[in-house]
Amino acid sequence: QVQLVESGGGLVQAGGSLRLSCAASGRTFTNYYMAWFRQVSGKEREFVASISWRSSLTNYVDSVKGRCTISRDNAKNTVYLQMNSLKPEDTAVYYCAASSGRPGRLVNDYGYWGQGTQVTVSS
C-alpha cells in the first residue's frame, strides 16, 4: 500500500497561485501513476490532472489547462500541483490519488487516496 498526505491548500484571491503537495510513503513511489482530483460539496469528485511514473505523460482537464501544472519528484516521493490564475470556480477540496496500473480519469481507476486539502478562491 501507499499512504498519501496532501498539503498546501488555503485561501487565495482570484488570480493568485497555490502549490499543492502530496507526500507518499509506503511502497515504491515510482510504481504509481499519480493524479489530483477535486470535489465540491454535493458534487462528484472531478479529475484535475495526472502524471505517469517517470513524468513522461501528463493529462489535464480542460478547465485547468494552461493554468495548472502537475509534476513529481521521485527522489522526494512527492507529487505537486502548481495552480496559477486561480478562479472562484477552482474552490474545492483537492485530493491526491495513486494507481498501481495505467489509469484513466475515473475515480475508480485509483486505489489510493489522501485525506484532501481545501482550496478556497475568493472573488
Side-chain angles (χ1 to χ4, degrees):
Q1 284 193 342
V2 62
Q3 292 79 42
L4 305 172
V5 179
E6 302 97 334
S7 62
L11 174 63
V12 64
Q13 288 188 332
S17 297
L18 282 175
R19 187 176 81 155
L20 306 183
S21 300
C22 172
S25 60
R27 296 291 181 90
T28 304
F29 185 59
T30 50
N31 287 348
Y32 295 92
Y33 215 103
M34 302 299 296
W36 288 94
F37 284 73
R38 64 187 179 187
Q39 188 170 22
V40 176
S41 180
K43 295 188 177 181
E44 292 187 352
R45 195 166 294 188
E46 173 192 35
F47 171 86
V48 177
S50 65
I51 188 166
S52 60
W53 311 271
R54 302 289 182 180
S55 307
S56 59
L57 294 173
T58 57
N59 197 5
Y60 297 91
V61 68
D62 285 348
S63 60
V64 306
K65 280 182 181 177
R67 301 189 298 118
C68 294
T69 303
I70 189 171
S71 62
R72 64 191 294 166
D73 185 336
N74 289 339
K76 295 183 178 180
N77 291 355
T78 302
V79 62
Y80 304 97
L81 184 67
Q82 177 68 45
M83 302 189 293
N84 301 323
S85 302
L86 283 162
K87 304 176 181 180
E89 51 264 43
D90 294 317
T91 295
V93 177
Y94 283 71
Y95 295 91
C96 176
S99 171
S100 57
R102 187 184 292 272
R105 298 185 172 200
L106 301 179
V107 169
N108 288 344
D109 290 340
Y110 293 83
Y112 304 97
W113 294 87
Q115 82 289 348
T117 186
Q118 175 72 47
V119 171
T120 303
V121 184
S122 63
S123 57

